[in-house]
Amino acid sequence: MFKALLLTQTEQRETKAALEELQETSLPDEAVRVTVSHSTLNYKDALAITGRSPVVRKFPMVPGIDFAGTVVRSASPNFKAGDEVILNGWGVGESHWGGLAQQACVKAEWLIRKPAEFSAREAMSIGTAGYTAMLCVMALEERGVTPRSGPVLVTGANGGVGSIAVSLLAAQGYEVHASTGRPEEAEHLKALGAADIVDRSVLNAAGKPLQKERWAAAIDSVGSHTLANVCASLRYGGAVAACGLAQGMDFPGSVAPFILRGVSLIGVDSVYAPLAKREQAWKRLAAELPRTILQRNTTETGLSAVIPLATRLLEGKIRGRVVVDTAI
Ligand code: NDP
C-alpha cells in the first residue's frame, strides 16, 4: 500500500480530492517505478486539486506534475534500481498518475537524473516553477539579452516562477525589477536579488498600446493586461518570455510594441520541452542558482496538508515554493 492524493469527479463534474491508501497494483503499467520522496505544489496542481480549471484529463487521477525519488524497478536499460531521478511535466498529474504520492510508475523517457548538486528536497524546491524560470532566462539569452541590456522586469515575483526568476537573473548580474501585489514581501524580494519593487496595480489594468520605455526585457508568469502592459513598456528591441496566466489567459494587447519597437514575445512551455533542453536547464540551475535562496523561498509540508494549501496558492497567499515530503 502507498499514500497518494486522489482526485475523483462527481456526476455533477465536481472534483473531489482526498488522501488515500492505494494498492501498488493500482499504479499505471509503465517501465519505471519510483519511490517518491518529495513532490511540490505548483499552480497547475492547485488548479487540478481544486477543479478550478480542466487540468485533469481523466479520473481518478493522482495529481502532481513534479517528483523526485529513487528507482525501485526498471524495464528500461536507461535506469536501474537505486538511481535518483526527477520528473517535470509530460502530462503527468494531468493525464497520467503524478507525483503527489509515495509511489509513481512512469515512462523512462520522462525521467531525468537528479543533478548530484541537489538533494531531492532541493530539486523539488525548484520544481517545474524553477525549471520554467530557467527556460525563460535561456529564451531571453537566445534573443541576445544580457545584463548590459538594461533592467529586466519579473512579474508575479513572489510566486514560484517569479521568485526563482528574480534569483537567477540577479545571480547573473541583471538589474531586476520585481512586480508584486504583496509590497509587504519587498524585503524578501530584495533578499532574492531584486533591485526595485514595482506595484503590480500599475500593470494589471487596461493600459495604452505604447507606454514609456522602461525595461530591456521581462519574464511574465501573469498574462492578461499585465503581459499587454509589459509589452507596451519594453524598450526598443526588447523581449518578454511569457509562461503563465496567473491573472488570466487573455492577451488584451495591440501589435504596436511589435511593429513599432521591434519587441519580441517569446512563448515558453516546460511540459513538453525536449530532453536536451531540460537537461541543459537543470545543469544551469545546478551551476547558477544560489542555494541560500532555496531555504528562504520554500515552505515544506506533507501530503495531508496539500489540499487546503492548493486553495491558498490560487488566492496568491503562498510565497515562493512549496515542497511536499511524502513521508510526512
Ligand atoms: P504561483 O501561484 O506560485 O505564483 C503566481 C503569482 O502571480 C502570485 O504569487 C502573484 O504574485 C501573481 N498573481 C496572482 N494573481 C494575480 C493577478 N490576478 N494579477 C497579477 N498577478 C497575480 O504560481 P507559479 O509561479 O508556480 O506559476 C505562475 C504561472 O505560470 C501559472 O499561470 C502557471 O500555470 C504558469 N506556469 C507555466 C509553465 C509553463 O510551462 N508555461 C510552467 C510553470 C508555471 P505577487 O503576489 O508577487 O503579485
Side-chain angles (χ1 to χ4, degrees):
M1 302 291 282
F2 69 100
K3 284 187 188 153
L5 282 196
L6 196 69
L7 305 181
T8 51
Q9 202 175 46
T10 64
E11 279 178 12
Q12 292 73 37
R13 302 181 81 79
E14 275 174 32
T15 301
K16 298 275 178 211
L19 182 59
E20 304 273 2
E21 291 260 352
L22 302 178
Q23 302 269 6
E24 288 187 0
T25 51
S26 61
L27 282 164
D29 183 21
E30 295 290 357
V32 187
R33 200 171 103 207
V34 177
T35 295
V36 176
S37 65
H38 295 81
S39 184
T40 75
L41 181 64
N42 286 282
Y43 192 90
K44 196 184 260 180
D45 302 320
L47 290 176
I49 291 166
T50 57
R52 191 86 55 91
S53 276
V55 165
V56 175
R57 307 294 163 82
K58 61 180 187 194
F59 292 90
M61 177 57 59
V62 174
I65 64 172
D66 280 332
F67 67 69
T70 307
V71 172
V72 278
R73 72 160 172 72
S74 170
S76 159
N78 295 340
F79 295 98
K80 60 177 189 324
D83 286 348
E84 292 190 83
V85 291
I86 55 177
L87 180 143
N88 313 111
W90 296 115
V92 170
E94 301 178 61
S95 49
H96 184 94
W97 280 18
L100 285 164
Q102 293 173 324
Q103 297 281 325
C105 219
V106 296
K107 292 190 193 301
E109 54 269 34
W110 294 343
L111 292 167
I112 58 174
R113 285 175 201 285
K114 179 181 70 59
E117 293 87 342
F118 296 123
S119 65
R121 183 189 183 282
E122 286 173 327
M124 289 296 101
S125 68
I126 296 167
T128 285
Y131 140 67
T132 303
M134 180 50 97
L135 291 180
C136 290
V137 170
M138 287 159 54
L140 293 181
E141 288 171 354
E142 281 164 21
R143 284 295 306 171
V145 177
T146 72
R148 286 213 296 249
S149 304
V152 176
L153 177 71
V154 174
T155 64
N158 271 303
V161 175
S163 57
I164 306 270
V166 169
S167 311
L168 285 171
L169 290 166
Q172 284 188 23
Y174 283 92
E175 179 185 327
V176 185
H177 294 189
S179 161
T180 184
R182 287 181 268 181
E184 68 278 14
E185 296 291 358
E187 285 313 309
H188 173 67
L189 291 170
K190 286 186 177 162
L192 298 184
D196 195 18
I197 307 298
V198 177
D199 187 326
R200 82 180 190 199
S201 64
V202 303
L203 291 168
N204 68 4
K208 291 184 182 160
L210 282 179
Q211 300 170 29
K212 185 173 173 238
E213 294 183 41
R214 294 183 70 181
W215 299 289
I219 293 179
D220 176 64
S221 61
V222 172
S224 192
H225 288 296
T226 300
L227 178 58
N229 285 320
V230 168
C231 291
S233 306
L234 288 177
R235 293 182 182 175
Y236 191 92
V240 52
C243 70
L245 45 62
Q247 184 181 5
M249 200 189 244
D250 55 335
F251 178 53
S254 86
V255 297
F258 312 122
I259 64 173
L260 298 176
R261 289 188 184 157
V263 161
S264 300
L265 172 56
I266 313 165
V268 173
D269 167 63
S270 67
V271 181
Y272 296 106
L275 187 63
K277 201 165 202 179
R278 289 166 187 265
E279 287 176 336
Q280 191 194 356
W282 277 100
K283 203 170 161 190
R284 287 197 50 184
L285 283 161
E288 296 171 29
L289 184 66
R291 295 300 181 281
T292 45
I293 74 107
L294 290 179
Q295 192 66 34
R296 179 183 286 139
N297 198 45
T298 304
T299 306
E300 186 158 346
T301 191
L303 282 172
S304 58
V306 167
I307 297 169
L309 276 179
T311 305
R312 284 178 55 76
L313 187 135
L314 293 182
E315 288 168 349
K317 290 188 177 148
I318 305 271
R319 187 180 84 177
R321 299 278 300 134
V322 177
V323 166
V324 180
D325 182 337
T326 66
I328 301 177

